[in-house]
Amino acid sequence: MHTMAVIQRSVWALLLWPSLLTVSMPLDCKEEQGSLSGCTSISQEKLLDRVIHHAELIYRVSEESCSLFEEMFLPLPLRLQISQAGYTCITKALPLPSSKSEIQQISDKWLLHSVLMLVQSWIQPLVYLQTTMDRYDHAPDMLLNKTKWVSDKLISLEQGVVVLIKKMLDEGTLATTYSEQGLYQSDVQPEMLESVMRDYTLLSCFKKDAHKMETFLKLLKCRQTDKYNCP
C-alpha cells in the first residue's frame, strides 16, 4: 500500500509540475553583459511582489522535494535516527533573527540583508545536492528536476533581492557578501547511508530557511502597506 501511495503521488506530481512552471513569474534580472539592469525598469512594488512569489514557489517545491526524498529513501526508523542525532543546519552561524520579537524589531534593511545571506548561503550546497543525488540508484526524475529547478530559481531570487536592495535602500553594492564556502565543506565523499542522511539534512534545513526567506519578504511587504498591523 505504501509503495502504491508513493507511485500515485509521483504521478500527480508529474501532472502538476508543468503548471507550476508556467505560473512562475519571470525574475531573471541579468542581461547578456551580466548586469542587473533587467529588473531595474520594474517598479519597486512589482519587483517585491515577484520576489515574494519566487520565494513562495521555492518553499513549496522544497517541501515537495523533502517529502519525496523521505518516501523514496528514508524509512521511518532512519528519520527518527536523523531527528535524534540533532544535525546542525549550515546557516546556524549566520547572524539572523530567530524569535518573533527579534524579527519584529529589525529594520527593513536588515530583513533584506537576512534574505540575501540565506539565499547566497544555499547556492553552492544545492549544486552539491544535485551532484550527489545523481549517484543514487532509482532516484526519480521528479526529485532531480525539482532540486535543479530550486537551484536555478534561487539564483534568480538572489538577483531580484540585490536589485530590490538597490531600489529600496539606495545601495549599489553590499558591504559584506556572505559566501557559502565558509559554511559548507564537501571535500570528502561520504558512504551511501551517510550521504542519504546528509542530503536529507540539507533538504530539511533548506526547507526551513526557504520558509524564513518567504516570511521575511512578506513582513517587508506588510510594512510597505500596513506598517502598524504587521504580525
Side-chain angles (χ1 to χ4, degrees):
M1 291 293 292
H2 176 72
T3 302
M4 182 60 68
V6 173
I7 293 173
Q8 289 174 339
R9 286 194 189 98
S10 299
V11 170
W12 276 110
L14 282 167
L15 292 173
L16 294 173
W17 180 245
S19 64
L20 178 61
L21 297 181
T22 56
V23 299
S24 176
M25 291 185 288
L27 187 61
D28 296 323
C29 297
K30 285 194 175 180
E31 296 185 339
E32 291 183 4
Q33 288 77 18
S35 70
L36 295 174
S37 58
C39 277
T40 55
S41 60
I42 305 173
S43 70
Q44 176 181 306
E45 182 180 2
K46 287 184 178 180
L47 179 58
L48 179 55
D49 286 340
R50 291 191 184 187
V51 167
I52 290 172
H53 184 67
H54 248 58
E56 288 173 338
L57 288 177
I58 287 171
Y59 174 57
R60 187 195 312 172
V61 176
S62 70
E63 278 191 307
E64 295 168 357
S65 299
C66 212
S67 298
L68 188 56
F69 192 94
E70 287 177 353
E71 293 170 347
M72 296 301 299
F73 301 110
L74 284 177
L76 183 58
L78 192 54
R79 291 182 220 171
L80 294 175
Q81 181 181 343
I82 293 173
S83 177
Q84 293 169 358
Y87 289 98
T88 301
C89 291
I90 61 174
T91 53
K92 184 176 177 60
L94 293 178
L96 300 172
S98 54
S99 67
K100 184 175 181 180
S101 61
E102 287 179 347
I103 294 172
Q104 290 173 333
Q105 292 173 14
I106 64 174
S107 65
D108 292 353
K109 175 179 179 177
W110 194 241
L111 274 176
L112 277 172
H113 281 273
S114 295
V115 173
L116 188 61
M117 280 190 285
L118 285 169
V119 170
Q120 291 177 337
S121 297
W122 276 107
I123 289 175
Q124 192 57 40
L126 287 184
V127 171
Y128 163 81
L129 197 58
Q130 292 179 65
T131 303
T132 186
M133 285 202 299
D134 276 337
R135 300 196 303 266
Y136 284 22
D137 291 331
H138 312 300
D141 288 340
M142 176 58 62
L143 179 58
L144 300 177
N145 291 341
K146 284 178 183 290
T147 306
K148 185 180 186 309
W149 184 88
V150 168
S151 182
D152 292 342
K153 291 303 174 185
L154 199 64
I155 295 173
S156 296
L157 182 60
E158 179 195 24
Q159 296 166 4
V161 171
V162 167
V163 176
L164 199 56
I165 286 174
K166 182 174 177 60
K167 280 179 174 287
M168 294 185 69
L169 308 178
D170 195 26
E171 294 184 7
T173 57
L174 297 177
T176 304
T177 299
Y178 285 82
S179 171
E180 72 287 336
Q181 293 177 356
L183 299 169
Y184 185 72
Q185 300 294 333
S186 58
D187 297 334
V188 179
Q189 295 298 330
E191 296 296 330
M192 192 59 196
L193 178 59
E194 182 185 347
S195 180
V196 168
M197 297 174 71
R198 182 175 179 175
D199 293 347
Y200 177 67
T201 300
L202 279 175
L203 280 172
S204 299
C205 288
F206 176 72
K207 181 180 73 171
K208 292 177 184 177
D209 283 346
H211 187 249
K212 286 181 185 177
M213 297 175 206
E214 179 187 349
T215 300
F216 290 170
L217 289 167
K218 286 184 174 179
L219 176 57
L220 184 65
K221 173 70 173 180
C222 179
R223 288 180 178 180
Q224 305 300 307
T225 55
D226 193 7
K227 183 176 181 180
Y228 298 103
N229 290 300
C230 296

